[in-house]
Amino acid sequence: MYNSLFINFYFRKSTTDATLGSVNVRVTVNGKRITLGTVTSVADSSLPKSVMIQRDHWDKRKLKVKPQSPHAVLLNKAIADCEQKLQKVYAQHESFDQKMTANGLKGVVKHGQRMLLTFPALIDKFLEERIALKTKASTVNTYRFKTRPLLSFLESEGSLDLPAVDFTPGTLKRYRTYLITQRGNSDRNADKSCQVVKTLLLWAAESELIHKNPLMNIRIRVDKTPNLECVTQEELTVLREAVLLPQMREVADCFEFACYTGLAYQDMKTLSPKNLQLVEGKHCIVGYRMKTGTEYCIPVTERVWALMDKYEGVNLPLPALDDYNPLLRQIMFTVGIDKRITSHTARKTFADWCINEVGLSEEATIVAMGQKNAKELTPYRKTRPKRLLAEFPTDLMRRQIDRVPFKQIVKAS
C-alpha cells in the first residue's frame, strides 16, 4: 500500500515573547495535516518538553538550529531523531501494507513504536477472526450490521482515522447522542450499540491489538427487554377466522405455523421437505437451529398439517423480516389483539402452549424448541394456574364451592 508522508519542522513563536520560540514538527499524511508538538517531546520523552531559542537562531532553509544557539546540538539531534522515528513508523505501515492516517501517526508518537489500529481496521480484523473461526455467516453479517452506525458516526465527525485506543468516554457519549438524535434510536438501542463498541475494544485489548482499553472502567447499563407476550389459543382462533387480504392472510398463516412449531424466523425460512421425517413412527419436523446448531424435533399437529396442505409443503410464503414484523402488528391491530407482537412472539406462544395446554414436561419442551438446557427455556416459560390445577390432586380440594367467603369467583386462565 502506498502512503505519503511529508515532515515539516518550523519555528513557533512564544505567546509571551515574540523574539523567542520553540521548534515544532507537523506532518501531512495522505493529504491530511496534523501538528505533533515540539521536536523534543516527539523525539524523546526524557527531554524537556519545550526548549526555547532566539527567533534569529532558526534556519528556515536548512530547517535546523544555527550553531550560535546554546541549544543547537540538543535540538538538531532531536530533529534528526524525530525524523528517523517518523520514517520508521512510515516504513512499518508500508511493510504491513496498512493504511497510515494522521491521527494514527500521532497516536504512535504518543504511545511508542507501535502501529495503532483505527476502528475500521479493528472491525475488519475482528470479522476476519470470526470468519477464520468458522462463525456462521448470519452471525458475521449481524456483526457487520451492528458496526455500521459506528462507522457512520466516525465519518460524520471526520474521524475514520481515529485510533481505537483514543475512543474516549467522551467520544462514546457523543456516539450515544448521535444515535438518538440523528438515527432515531431509543435509549435502549443506543445503549446496546455502545455495548458493541465496548465489546470490540475488550476483544482488541485481549488480542493485544491495543495496549489498553480506553473504556475499561465504563459500565453501560441496558434496560431489560419488556417481556414478550404470548398469544392465547382463543386469540389464535380469532386470527384464524379473521377475514384478511390475501397478503395479510399469508402472513397470519406463517405466524400461526410458527406458533404451533416454535420455529424461529431463520429456521422457518430454511425449512425444506427433508426436514419432515418419521420419528418413532410419527411425523415430525426435525433439524438444527441456525442460531445455536442445537437439534430440534417438533411433532406435527393437525393444524400444522392443515397449513402444509394449504401451501403444498413446509415452505410457507414467509416475507422478509423487515416486512414481516410491521405486517404482523398491522394484522393484530385489525383483529383487535392489543399486545406487543413480533415474529419471536410465536416461539414464546409455542412454549406456553406446550407447557400449559399440552402439559409437556420441561425436558420435552426443551427438545421441541431446540434448546440446550432449562436455563435457555426460562425466558419462555410461565406456568399458569391452569397447569397447576391440572396436576394438583383433586381429592385434596373441596368438591363444592361455597359462596361464602367468596364474593366473586374469577376464572383463572
Side-chain angles (χ1 to χ4, degrees):
M1 179 177 289
Y2 174 74
N3 291 297
S4 62
L5 171 66
F6 296 97
I7 305 171
N8 180 34
F9 299 100
Y10 66 99
F11 178 86
R12 184 175 185 271
K13 68 179 181 179
S14 170
T15 56
T16 58
D17 187 347
T19 62
L20 297 177
S22 59
V23 181
N24 284 35
V25 57
R26 61 174 167 238
V27 295
T28 304
V29 181
N30 295 325
K32 184 172 182 180
R33 189 172 70 176
I34 192 169
T35 300
L36 300 181
T38 61
V39 290
T40 50
S41 64
V42 174
D44 190 345
S45 58
S46 64
L47 293 175
K49 185 176 180 180
S50 179
V51 178
M52 308 299 285
I53 61 172
Q54 294 288 336
R55 185 184 186 91
D56 56 0
H57 288 172
W58 174 246
D59 190 330
K60 289 184 178 181
R61 187 175 63 83
K62 295 183 178 180
L63 298 180
K64 287 186 178 182
V65 180
K66 296 178 181 178
Q68 56 264 40
S69 171
H71 304 297
V73 175
L74 173 66
L75 289 176
N76 287 334
K77 184 178 186 305
I79 290 172
D81 291 345
C82 182
E83 184 172 11
Q84 183 180 7
K85 186 175 184 178
L86 293 171
Q87 291 291 355
K88 183 177 180 180
V89 176
Y90 171 79
Q92 286 178 339
H93 282 78
E94 288 296 295
S95 62
F96 285 99
D97 195 29
Q98 184 177 347
K99 183 180 178 180
M100 187 167 67
T101 62
N103 281 325
L105 180 60
K106 186 174 182 178
V108 173
V109 170
K110 288 193 326 184
H111 300 296
Q113 294 297 327
R114 183 173 184 175
M115 290 186 298
L116 298 185
L117 290 175
T118 62
F119 247 111
L122 186 64
I123 292 170
D124 289 341
K125 285 187 175 294
F126 178 77
L127 294 176
E128 286 173 7
E129 182 181 284
R130 297 300 100 187
I131 294 171
L133 293 174
K134 298 183 178 179
T135 305
K136 290 183 179 295
S138 59
T139 304
V140 175
N141 289 334
T142 300
Y143 284 131
R144 286 198 179 99
F145 178 78
K146 288 184 175 180
T147 54
R148 284 193 310 182
L150 174 61
L151 296 176
S152 298
F153 163 72
L154 293 173
E155 185 177 5
S156 70
E157 289 212 334
S159 301
L160 281 173
D161 58 352
L162 178 72
V165 75
D166 286 343
F167 200 97
T168 61
T171 309
L172 184 70
K173 185 177 180 180
R174 294 200 308 276
Y175 177 47
R176 188 180 186 278
T177 303
Y178 165 83
L179 292 170
I180 295 173
T181 59
Q182 302 298 319
R183 298 182 71 90
N185 286 12
S186 65
D187 287 348
R188 184 176 182 278
N189 287 338
D191 288 335
K192 290 185 73 174
S193 295
C194 290
Q195 278 189 331
V196 171
V197 177
K198 189 172 179 182
T199 299
L200 284 170
L201 290 172
L202 179 62
W203 169 83
E206 291 176 346
S207 303
E208 297 184 350
L209 294 174
I210 58 177
H211 68 281
K212 68 173 182 178
N213 180 359
L215 302 181
M216 181 174 59
N217 297 322
I218 299 298
R219 186 174 182 182
I220 303 171
R221 295 181 181 273
V222 180
D223 293 336
K224 292 183 179 179
T225 307
N227 289 329
L228 288 173
E229 299 177 277
C230 63
V231 180
T232 65
Q233 295 303 301
E234 292 78 11
E235 289 169 335
L236 282 175
T237 301
V238 170
L239 182 64
R240 187 182 311 136
E241 296 175 353
V243 178
L244 301 170
L245 294 173
Q247 183 189 15
M248 297 292 195
R249 171 48 55 194
E250 289 179 352
V251 172
D253 288 344
C254 289
F255 180 73
E256 187 180 4
F257 184 87
C259 287
Y260 285 111
T261 59
L263 289 169
Y265 177 85
Q266 289 295 338
D267 298 323
M268 190 170 163
K269 198 171 185 66
T270 56
L271 278 182
S272 66
K274 68 179 181 181
N275 292 111
L276 192 61
Q277 301 176 14
L278 280 175
V279 179
E280 300 292 331
K282 297 181 180 179
H283 286 94
C284 296
I285 297 176
V286 180
Y288 293 88
R289 293 204 62 205
M290 292 285 292
K291 182 178 179 180
T292 61
T294 310
E295 186 179 13
Y296 59 80
C297 179
I298 307 163
V300 180
T301 60
E302 286 296 330
R303 184 55 192 157
V304 174
W305 271 118
L307 290 169
M308 289 195 298
D309 289 340
K310 180 178 179 179
Y311 293 101
E312 300 180 350
V314 295
N315 296 115
L316 274 67
L318 192 64
L321 187 59
D322 290 342
D323 299 326
Y324 188 40
N325 283 325
L327 287 172
L328 271 181
R329 287 190 285 270
Q330 186 176 347
I331 292 169
M332 295 305 167
F333 177 80
T334 302
V335 301
I337 299 177
D338 186 17
K339 290 184 176 179
R340 181 175 176 267
I341 303 296
T342 68
S343 60
H344 196 62
T345 307
R347 190 160 168 80
K348 186 161 188 176
T349 300
F350 177 72
D352 179 81
W353 178 68
C354 287
I355 293 172
N356 295 300
E357 301 291 339
V358 182
L360 291 184
S361 66
E362 185 179 273
E363 292 78 8
T365 306
I366 290 172
V367 174
M369 295 190 68
Q371 294 175 328
K372 297 178 181 178
N373 48 52
K375 184 178 179 180
E376 292 186 1
L377 181 63
T378 300
Y380 299 88
R381 177 183 58 197
K382 183 180 180 181
T383 304
R384 292 189 275 116
K386 182 175 183 178
R387 172 68 184 271
L388 167 67
L389 295 172
E391 295 186 8
F392 200 85
T394 55
D395 57 337
L396 296 179
M397 302 178 68
R398 295 186 64 174
R399 297 183 180 277
Q400 294 182 351
I401 300 177
D402 296 333
R403 291 189 176 276
V404 180
F406 299 100
K407 292 183 178 180
Q408 182 179 4
I409 300 174
V410 180
K411 181 181 177 183
S413 61

